[in-house]
Amino acid sequence: MALLAYLKSLFILQLLMGFVFVVSGLIINFIQLCTCVLWPINKQLYRRINCRLSYSLWSQLVMLLEWWSGTECTLYTDQATVDKFGKEHVIIILNHNYEIDFLCGWTMCERYGVLGSSKVLAKHELLKVPLIGWTWYFLEIVFCKRKWEEDRNTVFNGLNRLKDYPEYMWFLLYCEGTRFTEKKHQISMQVAESKGLPKLKYHLLPRTKGFTTTLQCLKGTVTAVYDVTLNFKDNQTPTLLGIVNGKKYKADLSVRRFPVEDIPDDEQECANWLHKLYQEKDALQEMYSKEGKFPGPTIIPPRRLWTLLNFLFWATLLLSPLIKFACGVVVSGSPLLIIGFIIFLIIASVAIRRLIGVTEVKKTGSSYGDQEAKKQN
């Protein structure tokens, strides 16, 4: 075990895995670009192909969580809810506290066969991020600037296009709008006090417009809302770098299913429903803080081999010529070639580190009402 942990910590292995992810992602993005010719001919075929292509990329990250770090994911829910997973269009509401919360969500998507078709209401800045933003663009992800006057038409049009999506999709919403930090929490609770809303201890005040709009546009397509509350055993604070280094975490997810017909149609009543939901989520986190677990029965969905096999396919395809080329550089004895290869490795490591930085709590998220920060931006 000690040897395995040591191997996982080796920078060269991490760099090689990053190389596989980046290069395979660029290849996948190029193929996605080529599939655009199918859109006017057969839109549903275009969508099905892009679901498989995005799965091939995202499952490499899921492989890191499941097979490389060995992180465990336990569901707290009933079997009747689990039986519906992957068999209906749904909206997912997930708390936004951790760097790898999206990865835990993707793991559940993968285990129930909806990873390639999973959607999210994403901030517009992510569209510029290589691989991630580009893949999402081809997947018809809805991007917004968090300014309703500018977003209204974009969001409505993007959501309406998804009504006839051929694959079952899980549409993820971070209703808090940004990742939880103490500073943002203080500002958020000041807003709650000014609006006469109950204060939350573990969440930011939810922004209701995105939820009510998504539900309004996709009603008739989505059949339920899944409320997911995530926490980690032993007060762990997981990071993507920790996953890359092979650190094992234990994730617990409380999942509750709400049929769409049980959620009010009126926009204000729907917003009130969401506020009440977050008060319940806060109570769940309080219980977890005291007892170390969520209420209800537990289910541990088995991990699947597909993520590992997919990564091994890309690793075999891309690392063989890279290793052969590296050996040729060393054997050549050419200082110019060796220096060039070292520079390539440095650039690759910096690029991969910048991609990881996209998930870091301190470097992401909006200013969330911080007027001073807004003036600086």
Side-chain angles (χ1 to χ4, degrees), residues 228-291:
V228 183
T229 305
L230 170 67
N231 214 320
F232 289 84
K233 293 288 189 187
D234 306 320
N235 295 316
Q236 292 174 311
T237 306
T239 63
L240 188 54
L241 273 177
I243 295 295
V244 171
N245 287 323
K247 186 173 181 180
K248 182 177 181 178
Y249 302 104
K250 295 183 179 180
D252 288 335
L253 299 97
S254 171
V255 183
R256 300 182 295 164
R257 182 182 183 275
F258 298 91
V260 165
E261 56 266 24
D262 293 346
I263 302 173
D265 289 323
D266 179 77
E267 184 175 354
Q268 185 56 53
E269 290 182 9
C270 185
N272 293 338
W273 181 90
L274 183 64
H275 281 297
K276 184 175 181 294
L277 182 76
Y278 267 80
Q279 293 161 28
E280 294 172 358
K281 287 170 75 71
D282 223 50
L284 282 172
Q285 290 288 38
E286 181 68 20
M287 181 180 295
Y288 193 94
S289 177
K290 293 178 179 178
E291 301 181 13

Side-chain angles (χ1 to χ4, degrees), residues 3 12 127 141 196 213 247 259 282 332:
L3 176 60
I12 186 62
L127 181 57
I141 294 299
T213 301
K247 186 173 181 180
D282 223 50
S332 71

Side-chain angles (χ1 to χ4, degrees), residues 39-163:
W39 181 267
I41 303 171
N42 192 328
K43 181 173 68 174
Q44 303 298 39
L45 177 60
Y46 164 89
R47 286 169 160 174
R48 292 183 187 280
I49 291 173
N50 275 277
C51 282
R52 274 70 187 170
L53 291 171
S54 66
Y55 174 87
S56 189
L57 183 61
W58 301 146
S59 66
Q60 294 182 52
L61 296 178
V62 173
M63 184 281 300
L64 279 178
L65 186 81
E66 295 184 332
W67 296 95
W68 184 256
S69 82
T71 291
E72 299 173 359
C73 294
T74 301
L75 299 179
Y76 286 76
T77 191
D78 57 274
Q79 188 60 49
T81 297
V82 171
D83 289 342
K84 294 181 180 295
F85 286 178
K87 299 175 183 177
E88 58 180 348
H89 297 292
V90 299
I91 295 171
I92 306 285
I93 296 176
L94 178 63
N95 55 310
H96 206 9
N97 298 60
Y98 305 99
E99 287 185 13
I100 66 165
D101 47 30
F102 75 97
L103 201 47
C104 293
W106 277 357
T107 295
M108 289 301 106
C109 288
E110 199 287 323
R111 295 186 187 189
Y112 292 101
V114 292
L115 177 59
S117 57
S118 61
K119 309 295 180 187
V120 66
L121 190 62
K123 58 185 180 181
H124 192 266
E125 293 85 349
L126 289 175
L127 181 57
K128 303 173 185 177
V129 178
L131 307 184
I132 297 173
W134 299 348
T135 302
W136 275 353
Y137 174 80
F138 293 114
L139 270 179
E140 302 169 76
I141 294 299
V142 182
F143 293 95
C144 60
K145 298 178 180 178
R146 297 176 178 175
K147 296 178 181 178
W148 184 240
E149 296 76 17
E150 298 181 28
D151 289 332
R152 181 189 298 272
N153 292 335
T154 301
V155 171
F156 271 105
N157 292 337
L159 291 172
N160 285 325
R161 278 198 302 270
L162 297 176
K163 285 184 175 180

